[in-house]
Amino acid sequence: MELLGVTGVEDKLQENVQITIESLRNAGINIWMLTGDKVETATCIAISAGLKNKSQRFCFLKSIKNKDEIINAVNMGNELNTCLVIDGTTLDTILKNEVVEQEFINYASKCPAVLVCRCSPTQKAIITRKMKEF
């Protein structure tokens, strides 16, 4: 096999995205990003857009189908300076149990940034409605 060429494509952020997000964060507004992107892609976007600052760490909740595991992860990760990253599979598990859902919402609402990855349009609508009700 002979390599003929290599190319790469970078999606650039729109102008002033980082400044806008920084202003929102400085005003005490927590930011949620709901996306169909993979966890890795969303994490990179969060860093480049300024959703996560250098002093914060990521807390990943990925592919969890057991409600007890989710409750343990939420209780162990109960650190205020955390950027929460959750995938659609885990979100499905959360939304199936009212107690787990409440634990998650209580925790997530305290996080400065939440990334919900690999979520469907229906999941986006549900989580938006739940947060409005909270």
Side-chain angles (χ1 to χ4, degrees):
M1 186 169 140
E2 192 173 318
L3 185 62
L4 296 176
V6 178
T7 186
V9 177
E10 178 185 359
D11 287 340
K12 297 207 181 238
L13 293 173
Q14 291 184 6
E15 256 184 66
N16 300 321
V17 168
Q18 289 176 314
I19 294 167
T20 303
I21 290 174
E22 184 179 335
S23 297
L24 293 170
R25 292 171 54 90
N26 289 339
I29 297 172
N30 298 350
I31 304 192
W32 286 57
M33 182 173 86
L34 310 176
T35 180
D37 289 337
K38 293 179 190 174
V39 170
E40 296 78 12
T41 304
T43 303
C44 290
I45 293 169
I47 292 168
S48 64
L51 288 174
K52 176 197 171 288
N53 68 32
K54 291 177 182 170
S55 70
Q56 294 172 330
R57 66 177 189 82
F58 283 112
C59 173
F60 293 94
L61 300 180
K62 288 174 41 176
S63 302
I64 303 175
K65 295 181 180 180
N66 180 306
K67 65 180 182 166
D68 294 328
E69 272 186 68
I70 293 170
I71 289 176
N72 288 338
V74 165
N75 289 333
M76 286 174 45
N78 216 345
E79 183 183 313
L80 295 180
N81 201 23
T82 299
C83 183
L84 178 63
V85 182
I86 180 170
D87 69 351
T89 302
T90 306
L91 184 60
D92 268 346
T93 306
I94 289 168
L95 296 174
K96 288 178 184 172
N97 184 295
E98 205 170 306
V99 173
V100 177
E101 182 182 302
Q102 198 57 48
E103 287 280 330
F104 168 75
I105 289 175
N106 286 336
Y107 172 58
S109 66
K110 296 173 189 166
C111 294
V114 178
L115 312 178
V116 184
C117 313
R118 282 292 188 209
C119 64
S120 68
T122 302
Q123 288 175 315
K124 291 175 187 178
I126 291 169
I127 201 71
T128 301
R129 189 183 79 248
K130 299 272 183 195
M131 290 311 296
K132 278 184 180 179
E133 292 169 358
F134 181 74

